[in-house]
Amino acid sequence: MKILMVLTSHDQLGDTGKKTGFWLEEFAAPYYVFKGAGADITVASPLGGQPPLDPKSDEPDAQTEATRRFAKDAQAQEALAHTVRLETLKALDFDALFYPGGHGPLWDLTENQQSIALIEAMLLDGKPVAAVCHAPGVLRDAKAKDGKPLVEGRRVTGFTNSEEAAVGLSEVVPFLVQDMLEQQGGRYSKAGDWEPYVLTDGLLVTGQNPASSEPAAKALLALLSARKAPPA
């Protein structure tokens, strides 16, 4: 079971002068879900090497069991420090694709052609794709086989407009994830702010926020298990 996790390489929060990147919990929690299932994990990013960590996700109030485990895990830190360049990878080498969020993906992965091609190829190959929090933004320019927006008609979720307003970045981000998914024809729904909420539609898994990262990873594993199960 080979799972590819794709992280952002973008570290600038618009023109605020502040840093962004990926959200630690959204990487760490799925990483350990996949490790616990015996998966072979590859971590990639557009530029390769150490991806930028959103500093807010490393603050004391953002810590979880998974992030504390990561802080003591030299092997996991080594994997994160040496991400593979995204352009060197092919969909045929993996069984599933997972995108952690953080604000960074809204700037680089959304329009990254390798990422878009990877998403489209994985789904065409019958392989599951998952994205959590801001990472559903990477689906914006991806197309279905018929050329329509990938999310059109699909049940999807992602970081809500009200959650973006709560962190004070509605006017900073290049687009609002909820608005984009709705504009692309997605059947968007959500739970209460900061509550875990995950939707699976066919081979596509989306999660609303950081609290949704672990259940989204488990939903991806469920799709993999169903795919590998022998016919009844």
Side-chain angles (χ1 to χ4, degrees):
M1 183 166 55
K2 296 182 178 180
I3 299 177
L4 175 60
M5 300 183 75
V6 179
L7 295 168
T8 182
S9 292
H10 184 88
D11 70 351
Q12 296 296 314
L13 190 59
D15 56 5
T16 64
K18 297 179 180 178
K19 293 292 188 181
T20 189
F22 74 93
W23 196 261
L24 183 57
E25 160 72 1
E26 295 169 30
F27 169 75
Y31 179 86
Y32 289 119
V33 168
F34 300 149
K35 274 288 183 186
D40 178 4
I41 304 169
T42 298
V43 187
S45 64
L47 300 181
Q50 178 73 56
L53 174 68
D54 187 315
K56 286 190 173 296
S57 74
D58 206 25
E59 292 179 353
D61 64 354
Q63 299 311 300
T64 65
E65 181 180 345
T67 63
R68 287 187 286 270
R69 180 179 174 184
F70 177 78
K72 301 173 184 177
D73 188 340
Q75 184 179 4
Q77 291 176 33
E78 181 75 5
L80 183 65
H82 297 90
T83 68
V84 180
R85 286 183 71 96
L86 192 56
E87 65 186 11
T88 67
L89 302 176
K90 298 177 182 177
L92 58 84
D93 294 326
F94 300 97
D95 299 306
L97 180 57
F98 189 95
Y99 285 84
H103 284 87
L106 298 183
W107 277 274
D108 65 347
L109 288 171
T110 296
E111 54 193 37
N112 181 280
Q113 293 304 308
Q114 286 86 25
S115 175
I116 294 166
L118 197 59
I119 292 166
E120 293 173 346
M122 292 290 286
L123 292 172
L124 273 176
D125 258 358
K127 298 173 180 178
V129 173
V132 68
C133 198
H134 287 87
V138 308
L139 304 172
R140 186 189 68 184
D141 294 342
K143 305 296 183 186
K145 189 176 181 180
D146 60 6
K148 294 180 179 178
L150 182 65
V151 302
E152 186 175 314
R154 290 181 183 264
R155 296 169 61 244
V156 290
T157 191
F159 207 57
T160 68
N161 289 354
S162 51
E163 286 168 329
E164 200 68 82
V167 298
L169 295 175
S170 300
E171 304 302 320
V172 173
V173 293
F175 61 89
L176 296 169
V177 175
Q178 177 180 340
D179 283 356
M180 181 278 290
L181 292 171
E182 291 174 341
Q183 289 161 5
Q184 293 278 22
R187 294 163 54 201
Y188 182 89
S189 62
K190 60 184 180 178
D193 286 0
W194 317 115
E195 293 179 11
Y197 186 66
V198 173
L199 291 173
T200 299
D201 189 306
L203 294 168
L204 184 64
V205 176
T206 48
Q208 180 178 318
N209 48 33
S212 309
S213 56
E214 183 173 322
K218 291 178 177 177
L220 188 72
L221 284 181
L223 287 175
L224 275 174
S225 297
R227 186 171 178 261
K228 291 180 180 297

